[in-house]
Amino acid sequence: MANLQQKYNAEDQGPDARPVLLTSVIFAVFLLLAALILIVILPKQASTIAAVALVLYLLVIGPFFGVYLIRRYRQNNMVRETFLTSSSIANVLHTVSDVPYFLLDPSDDGSVKLLNGELRRLIGTRTWTHNFPLRDLCYASARHICASAVCSRADILESFRDDYFQLFPGAASPEDEVKTGFAEPKDSRRNLQKAFFYAGWDQNMSMTIGQRNYLMHATPLKAHNRLYCLVWLDDVTEFVSLWTKNDREFPVLSYIVLDNLEELAQYVGINARAAANKIEVILSDWAAELHGILREYERDKYLLLFPKEYLENCIKSEFDILSRVQKTGVGDETPAVTVSIGMAATGANLQERERDARSALELALQRGGGQVVLRTKAGTLYFGGFTKPIEKSSATDMRVAGIELLRRIRQASNILIMGHRNPDYDAIASSIGMARLCMCANGGRSDNLRIVSDLSSRDLGLCVQQLTSFPEYDHLFISRDEAQEEVRTDTLLIICDVNNIPISEAPFLVDSVRNIAIIDHHTKAAEFKFKPNPEVILPEASSASELVASIFMQCPYTDMLRKEEANLLLAGIMLDTKNFVMSTSWQTLEVVQYLYKCNAHTSVANNLFNQSLNEIVVSGQLEQNARQYRGKYVLTWAQFPRELKPEDRVLAAKASDKLLSTQDALATFAIIQTTTGAVISGRSKGTVSVKLILEKLGGGGHFDQAGAQMRESELGKTASAVKDAIDQYENDVARSSK
């Protein structure tokens, strides 16, 4: 505002006549002396000399007086125009001396025509008439102020709309223009914009004068067929200061859990209490750095509260507390101790914040642990997850989930079961196993039960062939197009082998059904918009087939699983464990033992994996194109001028599995590219998280097994996207290890 004062102080008193008069006197004296000298020298030419001097005087001084008169005329005309256009509103607000306002002409990028006494005092000028650009007064555009003014008068909005579009041809509607001022601020450091956003005010209508903050209000005026805007200022300095202080001291609530200490103590033999004490010291030091308080509310579980002003430092360091804990030595060549943190900087009160923090902790554990899930008003952020989770015992979880699931099954009028698109043996087998559980719970009834799947799937056809001796399966399988007709008021939807709803077989069912259960072994992709019950998401499990078999083991119907169904569940486990090589825990082997008791056998299940000649050709091309990247990654690809097929995902998975035996390869990625998109399969030996890499491409999975699907139709762009995701992952790991 100081620049504005300097710029227009010269105009406060109007055009200055003193330079013109001084120039006139000096020039007149000069001409008089010159004329006297010439008359003395040439007395006979005195009259001629006097006439010439007079003419010269008028020729030189005339333009000075002309410029002066023109400036005076313009000043008087501006005053007259201001009176004509604002006299009525000025009369209304004349007695309101403490409300600063100005009159805006929105044409020609906006010019300020009138300042009232209070605003003149604030910016340090004396004259009340001006004609200077709006940008010298505030950062708001004339178009936005005009749109705000027009929208403020909803009763006469249409009468001003034409004037608005005449001033700003081709512009967005006034309503759309105003909406831009209510968007989330991109720069989190600008407290004024943040305060306006959370107060529900238009950020583009903010103004700062000196140390004071103002909210501009505008209303339209029309005079002499021209649109003007009267803008008055509301001092919100105290609110902004209070909000900034409150935002800075806002308590962030966190739940912290040592998520694998018990497992390390049980299976590795470390001194759990000594390790816990070391980690508690590290957590206490971290809490002190954040000026927070740390309390252990249960064994190896902590509650942390700290001011929000320190949260930005945590984000910048990508929560280095994760690496500080992992570096804690608990034994030679022992897996690192990890912590899972659920943190919330949301909610209007501590109760809501506690609920969000608890939900964030659950999500962190469902994603495999060893990471931070932070909930903010802008969304959910994830940090860490670079260590492979240790398998945990889940018998109790399965028992509780089984009891709740059976209760929900008996209460439902009908049941729909579905897996993911392009179903594999795990999705199909877990759905069939869940269908048998539903029949058992309902006394053998199957007429109220349907499995939603891709009826054209080759794998589904092979599985159905195994069930031809059971008439209850004749009507069980329906397409996604038929599924909507099966929805009732109390329908139960059971989702198997997928928790990323958009890639499920029929995503629209989630919006149509209120009662939903999820049984999955993939890392949780994101928070649900609904509350599944039960929600069984265990990334440490090998497959969804293992989870379904575990539920059978813990329920009253242990002996009612048929041999053919058990063989399919065994095939699902074999697929996801690569014949018990990957992600195979003692719980997995315990489930396999149970399936063997149900007369399943690996030799029978293995028959489902026989390859066709086309699959052998594709596999050969994938092996031939293998290339090394960054020394420890192996990438391969195959390209075909056709649409994606359901078996492409399986072929890519088999290729990445086979390449994992390559020397020095820590992770492999196989790409099958078609004209309609690409499938990507990633595998790891346990030191690289292919899950985090493929999550950057919209995919997901486990730490050492993951997949993604892209709509990109060019192989070069798909391969570049995979390499970029690997590079980002390596950069993230490098930062977290500092």
Side-chain angles (χ1 to χ4, degrees), residues 375-397:
R375 296 205 185 282
T376 68
K377 293 178 181 177
T380 303
L381 303 176
Y382 305 95
F383 303 88
F386 299 116
T387 56
K388 185 177 180 179
I390 295 177
E391 291 83 5
K392 302 179 182 180
S393 176
S394 55
T396 303
D397 294 336

Side-chain angles (χ1 to χ4, degrees), residues 450-463:
R450 296 292 183 271
I451 298 177
V452 184
S453 188
D454 181 2
L455 301 182
S456 64
S457 167
R458 169 183 171 274
D459 290 349
L460 177 63
L462 292 174
C463 291

Side-chain angles (χ1 to χ4, degrees), residues 417 424-437 451 462-463 466-467 473 496-497 519 521 542-553 555 557-558 560-580 588-589 591-596 598-602 604-606 608-609:
I417 305 171
D424 56 12
Y425 288 136
D426 189 29
I428 298 169
S430 57
S431 297
I432 291 173
M434 191 54 61
R436 175 55 65 187
L437 184 68
I451 298 177
L462 292 174
C463 291
Q466 307 295 314
L467 304 171
Y473 285 101
C496 297
D497 197 32
I519 312 294
H521 67 115
S542 68
S543 57
S545 296
E546 177 186 327
L547 294 175
V548 172
S550 297
I551 293 175
F552 259 102
M553 292 170 61
C555 77
Y557 311 113
T558 304
M560 300 187 69
L561 189 66
R562 310 293 175 86
K563 178 181 70 173
E564 291 79 2
E565 296 162 344
N567 274 320
L568 293 179
L569 289 172
L570 183 58
I573 296 173
M574 292 172 64
L575 173 69
D576 278 11
T577 61
K578 309 303 174 268
N579 292 329
F580 311 109
T588 307
L589 297 178
V591 168
V592 171
Q593 183 181 15
Y594 162 70
L595 295 176
Y596 260 70
C598 297
N599 298 315
H601 201 281
T602 52
V604 177
N606 197 53
L608 294 170
F609 297 97

Side-chain angles (χ1 to χ4, degrees), residues 191-204:
N191 286 326
L192 180 60
Q193 277 67 32
K194 288 167 59 180
F196 271 51
F197 172 74
Y198 291 114
W201 296 338
D202 189 342
Q203 301 161 55
N204 293 337

Side-chain angles (χ1 to χ4, degrees), residues 6 100 148 154 157 235 289 367 408 441 453 488 545 606 608 700:
Q6 294 172 3
S148 179
L157 175 61
D235 192 336
E289 293 171 9
R367 288 173 58 86
R408 302 294 295 277
S453 188
R488 305 288 184 269
S545 296
N606 197 53
L608 294 170

Side-chain angles (χ1 to χ4, degrees), residues 412-417 446-452 475-493 508-509 512-513:
S413 62
N414 68 321
I415 302 136
L416 297 176
I417 305 171
S446 64
D447 60 311
N448 66 336
L449 178 64
R450 296 292 183 271
I451 298 177
V452 184
H475 66 279
L476 224 57
F477 298 94
I478 62 174
S479 68
R480 67 172 66 94
D481 297 329
E482 302 172 278
Q484 188 65 53
E485 300 177 2
E486 300 291 334
V487 175
R488 305 288 184 269
T489 304
D490 54 352
T491 295
L492 173 63
L493 174 63
F508 56 84
L509 289 178
S512 306
V513 177

Side-chain angles (χ1 to χ4, degrees), residues 196-307:
F196 271 51
F197 172 74
Y198 291 114
W201 296 338
D202 189 342
Q203 301 161 55
N204 293 337
M205 296 292 281
S206 63
M207 178 190 289
T208 301
I209 302 177
Q211 301 298 319
R212 310 296 294 180
N213 300 309
Y214 296 90
L215 169 64
M216 293 186 288
H217 304 273
T219 190
L221 297 174
K222 203 165 184 180
H224 302 284
N225 294 321
R226 294 185 64 180
L227 180 64
Y228 294 87
C229 299
L230 180 75
V231 184
W232 67 96
L233 311 183
D234 186 5
D235 192 336
V236 293
T237 306
E238 281 71 22
F239 170 81
V240 172
S241 299
L242 182 61
W243 185 92
T244 302
K245 182 176 183 295
N246 179 71
D247 183 63
R248 189 172 59 248
E249 298 175 355
F250 186 89
V252 177
L253 193 147
S254 311
Y255 280 113
I256 304 173
V257 174
L258 308 186
D259 50 19
N260 64 346
L261 193 59
E262 292 183 3
E263 285 72 25
L264 286 173
Q266 182 177 357
Y267 304 118
V268 183
I270 68 168
N271 187 332
R273 286 303 93 207
N277 292 336
K278 286 183 180 180
I279 295 171
E280 184 172 357
V281 171
I282 295 174
L283 293 175
S284 298
D285 292 343
W286 183 52
E289 293 171 9
L290 301 177
H291 294 260
I293 55 173
L294 180 74
R295 294 291 182 270
E296 185 176 18
Y297 64 92
E298 195 176 318
R299 187 164 180 166
D300 298 334
K301 296 180 180 180
Y302 301 87
L303 177 69
L304 171 65
L305 283 168
F306 66 92

